[in-house]
Amino acid sequence: MAKQEDIFKNVISHAKEYGFIFPSSEIYDGLSAVYDYAQNGVELKKNIRDYWWKSMVQMHENIVGIDAAIFMHPTTWKASGHVDAFNDPLIDNKDSKKRYRADVLIEDYAEKLNQKAQKEIEKAKARFGDAFDEAQYVATNERVKGYLDQKTAILQRMAKGLDSGDLADVKALIEELEIACPESGSKNWTEVRQFNLMFGTKLGASADTAMDLYLRPETAQGIFVNFLNVQKTGRMKIPFGIAQTGKAFRNEIVARQFIFRMREFEQMEMQFFVKPGEEMKWYEYWKETRLKWHNSLGLGAENYRFHDHEKLAHYANAAADIEFNFPFGFKELEGIHSRTDFDLKAHEQFSGKKLQYFDTEENRNYVPYVVETSVGLDRMFLAVFSKALQEETLEDGSTRTVLRLPSVLAPTKAAVLPLVKKDGLPEVAREIVDDLKWDFNVAYDEKDAVGRRYRRQDALGTPFCITVDHQTLEDKTVTIRHRDTMEQQRVAISELRGIINNEVSMRNWLMKM
Ligand code: ATP
């Protein structure tokens, strides 16, 4: 556990030290769960977005993109259910003045029971060796069964209270379980209240005419309200998709874990409109396709898993998460949801406008069903960045920090380094930069010994270092060093563009899908 925490701390400090992510308005001590992308972070983030956009929009004839505004007519959020149901139950501790999610307090308690049961199981496993029958042990051992039954009963009672709006019972449960504030140990709790996660704001100049608005909590609704505009002007035939990337805002009650849970974040979403009855086929298709996309980045298939939802949101008839093995364990990275015709029908009802498709093959109108893929860009960043950051021990016993970013996503593709700051080497290096910069993000660095410059580029994730030395002046060759293997090759300057392109082109990476 301690090790995982150390890895995560290291990720956060590396992101800051090497200009990837800064806390927002840091000179004023920051703003909780809000972050700024720095000079290298913005490039990595842009490359992830481009990689997604290319695979979704450019590579699919039947998917187009839009960029809807963050402000939307407030009725949008009535129709989508966000005004009434986008809530988390919160509770305050009166002594510590700390605020918690009531469901998380209860779930943490239930998880402790689960861990107690697992501990007993591990002990028994060690005692009985090969002869151990876990299922039988769990079913018959009174203590273990007790822990697990209690856990299930607690979670069921909580779900019932939340679903039926009986928040007094949720509070009663917290009191009966004697759950204390993790900070102060106090059991002096307020009532449980529902807390809407949307940020409100106002549009308009004077107080009496101003309109209450929300900052969008998801990008999806911008797609639904434009469904018919896009279908008609793009002459789209079902099945087709509309993709969008952009900011979303949620007033998360407990926002922790760096850029995993932010209050302002970016989503990459695609809504795929299909014929009613065909949604499960497409749901399976998109689950598989999205996993392939993640795997194409080469971070290791063992770091992804599906989690199928048993409890479905009000709009869904099937839902799964792609979970990623973050430094703090497997957690949701992307959601794939079969949203039925819930959203379009709701917008029809609230707007009084028809949002239907005329199917020429079937000669009838219908409201399409929707399969959604929704991935957080910041969570993708954290997934890639945390897996890429590695400490290596080299053959000579020394260590190096290397950010093994998939080269297609690396902020800078190559750094050009004159071996010394004289004899005309900087001039030649600059000529190489001036040529390569038409195609790639490249850096020039002449400060410090060349070994230290290599290490710095390793820590930034730059796939190639190109070194200009005295031989370059004679025969127009340079050494090119590969980040991952540290191998060096002597190549002609004229070959550089081809070598770099072969390694970083999206074409070559996406072909692996
Ligand atoms: P969670 O259960 O983690 O709160 P969610 O199920 O509410 O997530 P969705 O509404 O399905 O998330 O949003 C789709 C994606 O948007 C998520 O898979 C995640 O990658 C991203 N996302 C959601 N909330 C946040 C947040 N507060 N900060 C960063 N990314 C987020």
Side-chain angles (χ1 to χ4, degrees), residues 152-348:
T152 311
I154 289 170
L155 292 178
Q156 278 173 351
R157 180 163 158 204
M158 177 184 84
K160 196 162 153 245
L162 292 176
D163 286 348
S164 66
D166 187 358
L167 299 179
D169 194 56
V170 177
K171 181 181 178 193
L173 182 58
I174 289 177
E175 284 174 339
E176 280 167 39
L177 297 174
E178 300 191 353
I179 295 176
C181 166
E183 193 100 346
S184 65
S186 148
K187 294 172 196 159
N188 192 7
W189 296 108
T190 62
E191 300 304 308
V192 177
R193 288 179 291 141
Q194 285 292 12
F195 176 77
N196 194 288
L197 300 187
M198 284 196 293
F199 284 100
T201 184
K202 286 197 185 299
L203 180 102
S206 70
D208 38 327
T209 57
M211 190 184 203
D212 285 319
L213 287 193
Y214 297 105
L215 298 185
R216 66 180 178 200
E218 63 175 27
T219 58
Q221 299 303 324
I223 295 179
F224 293 129
V225 299
N226 279 300
F227 156 74
L228 211 53
N229 280 341
V230 173
Q231 190 272 319
K232 286 210 175 340
T233 57
R235 296 182 299 167
M236 308 302 290
K237 277 200 164 354
I238 269 178
F240 73 91
I242 304 178
Q244 165 162 238
T245 70
K247 287 274 171 103
F249 304 83
R250 295 183 187 177
N251 199 359
E252 302 277 2
I253 297 174
V254 184
R256 286 190 287 246
Q257 295 171 317
F258 195 36
I259 56 169
F260 180 82
R261 189 174 301 284
M262 302 158 91
R263 297 207 162 95
E264 171 179 345
F265 58 101
E266 193 163 338
Q267 291 185 311
M268 307 191 284
E269 295 198 303
M270 193 277 299
Q271 310 294 328
F272 201 66
F273 300 91
V274 306
K275 197 184 282 192
E278 293 195 347
E279 69 275 12
M280 290 321 282
K281 177 178 92 183
W282 288 110
Y283 171 69
E284 293 302 331
Y285 170 85
W286 282 111
K287 267 177 76 173
E288 192 188 325
T289 305
R290 292 302 304 145
L291 187 62
K292 277 193 199 155
W293 181 84
H294 287 287
N295 275 323
S296 72
L297 290 171
L299 301 174
E302 70 284 3
N303 289 313
Y304 302 88
R305 70 181 189 200
F306 280 118
H307 169 242
D308 292 314
H309 288 206
E310 280 146 32
K311 188 172 178 296
L312 296 171
H314 57 287
Y315 53 76
N317 66 357
D321 296 334
I322 295 177
E323 294 186 337
F324 184 76
N325 189 9
F326 287 98
F328 37 84
F330 273 95
K331 287 271 181 309
E332 171 176 345
L333 172 61
E334 170 155 8
I336 294 128
H337 310 127
S338 173
R339 293 181 76 124
T340 68
D341 55 2
F342 173 85
D343 300 273
L344 290 180
K345 276 227 169 110
H347 286 304
E348 276 198 327

Side-chain angles (χ1 to χ4, degrees), residues 10-11 14 384-391 401-404:
N10 209 14
V11 164
H14 194 90
V384 169
F385 192 86
S386 59
K387 235 2 115 194
L389 185 60
Q390 293 173 9
E391 288 288 331
T401 301
V402 53
L403 193 62
R404 290 175 180 270

